[in-house]
Amino acid sequence: MLTLVLTLAMLLSVMVVGAGAATFSDQDSIKNAQAVDVCTTLKIIDGINGSFKPNDNVTRAQMCKMICVALNGGNNANMGSNVGNTFNDVATGYWGTPFIEYCVREKVAAGIGGGNFDPEGNVTGS
């Protein structure tokens, strides 16, 4: 899925001209700076406390946020005030709930079985 988001960002980069990208405290560690700049400009990513953390894994919840924002033109999806909680392991009020629910509703993501989503689990290539 990360490849999907980065591919989308690269395709959209031709439309982003002259936009200033964020500077992260670990900017020198970023290998694909152009893709990161595009994703930052499009609000798909925003870093964590001023860092990009290029060597960290991406969680399932983080990926849902990136997909949701990418599919909604740089905005969070309007889920209304009645965001359900489909999964046993996604706490009420968890920051990622609206993004997870959006991706599930759009059939972009699914749970791992047993009524669970594993929001803090790492995204894998599959």
Side-chain angles (χ1 to χ4, degrees), residues 1 6 11 42 47 52 66 69 72 74 111-112:
M1 280 204 234
L6 290 175
L11 289 174
L42 296 173
F52 179 68
M66 289 186 273
V69 173
N72 286 283
I112 61 168

Side-chain angles (χ1 to χ4, degrees), residues 31-89:
K31 293 180 183 173
N32 298 311
Q34 184 177 11
V36 171
D37 288 347
V38 170
C39 287
T40 301
T41 301
L42 296 173
K43 300 179 185 174
I44 295 169
I45 58 173
D46 52 14
I48 300 172
N49 298 324
S51 297
F52 179 68
K53 302 188 182 285
N55 297 316
D56 284 7
N57 292 323
V58 174
T59 68
R60 291 169 51 83
Q62 290 169 329
M63 180 56 68
C64 285
K65 181 206 180 246
M66 289 186 273
I67 291 169
C68 179
V69 173
L71 293 176
N72 286 283
N75 300 307
N76 295 337
N78 183 359
M79 297 292 289
S81 60
N82 222 2
V83 176
N85 192 351
T86 305
F87 302 102
N88 300 324
D89 62 344

